[in-house]
Amino acid sequence: MKYIVRNLVTAAARNAAPRFSQAASIGLGARMCARVIQPVGTIRTLTTTMPMRVNGSSDSDLLHTLRDEADYEAKQAAEEGEPEFIQAFMNKTGFKIKTKTGEQKVTMTKQFGSETITISFDVGEILNAENPIADFETYRENDSGDVQKEAEINADDTPEDFAIGFTATISKNSTDMLFLELESNEGEVGVNHMRFLSNKDVSDISGMDLEWVRQKAYCGPLFGQLSDDLKENIDAFLAERNIDTGLTLFMQDYIEHKEQSEYLNWLRKFKSFVEA
């Protein structure tokens, strides 16, 4: 599993300009107004022109950099192709993945007997990595005014594993919904809260209303304070529904894959914005 790295060293290797240029002020178009003089006794008329379109002085440099970055990322994505691990995971577990371009949320659903299981997680969880940027150096000026290297981190030093906060819901038609707040850490699934929500309360609401229903429900006991037998049985209950180490490893891979895809989409939108 590779780590997502985009930095100045990589940009320099592509002979591309820095990803971001300094923002420049945008001048206002001058409104021109011409008066047409008519013979005495006639009505004077005024004509106006549309405001002149003026681009910032840095726009062309920014646009050039965005094009280079987008072309490079698109080429890399085309060479790598669609990763096989996604279809392999769905075939093995029965989960179906739902997400939209431009959005961070990812939802996976499956049927397990009479149960409907839904897993939800966020691409932004990649920020939980200890060192989200690899191959960088930091410098500090000492008392004598000399600049000295303070620290250096290489790509090989960056951990592949990162914590992911996610939720799972297990629902049946005849009873309340089990709502779990979970966290993956070093491949293990940790249980933060286990709540029961009324299907009637959550069937027709979403957003902040749904969050309010969740928050007011009893959060359940501290998992660590449960008896060993109960904890082991809950772990087995979750694992049988593919809420296990395999899921945590898949989420890490998928988050990295989707983050890269969203970055390319972001570059293209930024380029279109500057061109407009």
Side-chain angles (χ1 to χ4, degrees):
M1 177 174 55
K2 65 178 184 177
Y3 207 78
I4 302 302
V5 176
R6 292 185 298 271
N7 49 42
L8 297 178
V9 175
T10 304
R14 301 197 301 270
N15 294 320
R19 189 180 294 172
F20 296 103
S21 301
Q22 290 184 343
S25 60
I26 301 177
L28 296 175
R31 184 181 297 275
M32 301 178 62
C33 182
R35 185 177 68 181
V36 179
I37 302 178
Q38 300 288 349
V40 176
T42 62
I43 299 176
R44 294 184 303 171
T45 61
L46 296 176
T47 61
T48 61
T49 62
M50 295 297 292
M52 296 176 60
R53 177 181 174 183
V54 179
N55 290 328
S57 60
S58 66
D59 286 18
S60 60
D61 290 338
L62 174 59
L63 187 58
H64 175 76
T65 303
L66 289 169
R67 285 172 176 165
D68 284 349
E69 289 280 331
D71 290 345
Y72 175 80
E73 297 294 340
K75 181 180 178 181
Q76 290 292 103
E79 291 177 353
E80 294 176 0
E82 189 68 19
E84 297 178 356
F85 76 89
I86 297 177
Q87 189 61 50
F89 177 80
M90 290 192 296
N91 292 341
K92 179 181 179 180
T93 64
F95 276 112
K96 296 181 179 179
I97 302 172
K98 180 180 179 181
T99 186
K100 293 181 180 179
T101 300
E103 295 185 1
Q104 294 197 135
K105 186 177 180 180
V106 180
T107 302
M108 304 191 305
T109 60
K110 66 176 288 186
Q111 293 296 129
F112 184 80
S114 61
E115 301 171 359
T116 300
I117 302 173
T118 303
I119 307 293
S120 299
F121 58 94
D122 196 295
V123 175
E125 293 295 309
I126 197 172
L127 298 178
N128 291 332
E130 292 183 11
N131 300 313
I133 300 176
D135 286 338
F136 74 92
E137 300 174 348
T138 59
Y139 294 83
R140 184 181 298 276
E141 184 176 327
N142 60 23
D143 295 337
S144 301
D146 299 326
V147 177
Q148 297 179 333
K149 182 187 294 186
E150 185 178 57
E152 179 178 354
I153 297 179
N154 300 316
D156 294 339
D157 300 329
T158 304
E160 294 183 348
D161 183 84
F162 55 91
I164 301 173
F166 64 105
T167 64
T169 60
I170 304 175
S171 61
K172 299 180 180 180
N173 292 330
S174 59
T175 186
D176 290 346
M177 173 191 298
L178 176 59
F179 179 82
L180 302 100
E181 297 175 37
L182 307 169
E183 182 177 358
S184 73
N185 195 358
E186 298 183 354
E188 299 295 328
V189 176
V191 179
N192 292 331
H193 300 291
M194 299 178 65
R195 309 170 192 264
F196 284 97
L197 307 178
S198 169
N199 283 325
K200 180 180 179 181
D201 289 342
V202 301
S203 59
D204 297 322
I205 61 175
S206 60
M208 294 302 296
D209 291 335
L210 180 57
E211 182 64 21
W212 168 248
V213 171
R214 291 173 181 171
Q215 291 301 322
K216 74 177 183 178
Y218 171 58
C219 64
L222 292 176
F223 188 77
Q225 295 181 356
L226 299 177
S227 68
D228 290 340
D229 287 344
L230 184 52
K231 286 188 290 186
E232 290 176 3
N233 286 319
I234 291 175
D235 288 339
F237 173 86
L238 296 177
E240 192 173 13
R241 289 154 176 79
N242 298 116
I243 305 174
D244 54 10
T245 299
L247 173 63
T248 68
L249 297 177
F250 171 79
M251 288 191 297
Q252 288 184 3
D253 288 344
Y254 190 85
I255 285 173
E256 292 181 359
H257 166 69
K258 180 169 172 59
E259 196 279 338
Q260 187 68 21
S261 176
E262 289 300 334
Y263 173 60
L264 176 57
N265 180 58
W266 178 87
L267 286 171
R268 288 170 171 168
K269 283 188 174 183
F270 202 170
K271 182 173 70 72
S272 298
F273 177 82
V274 176
E275 289 174 332

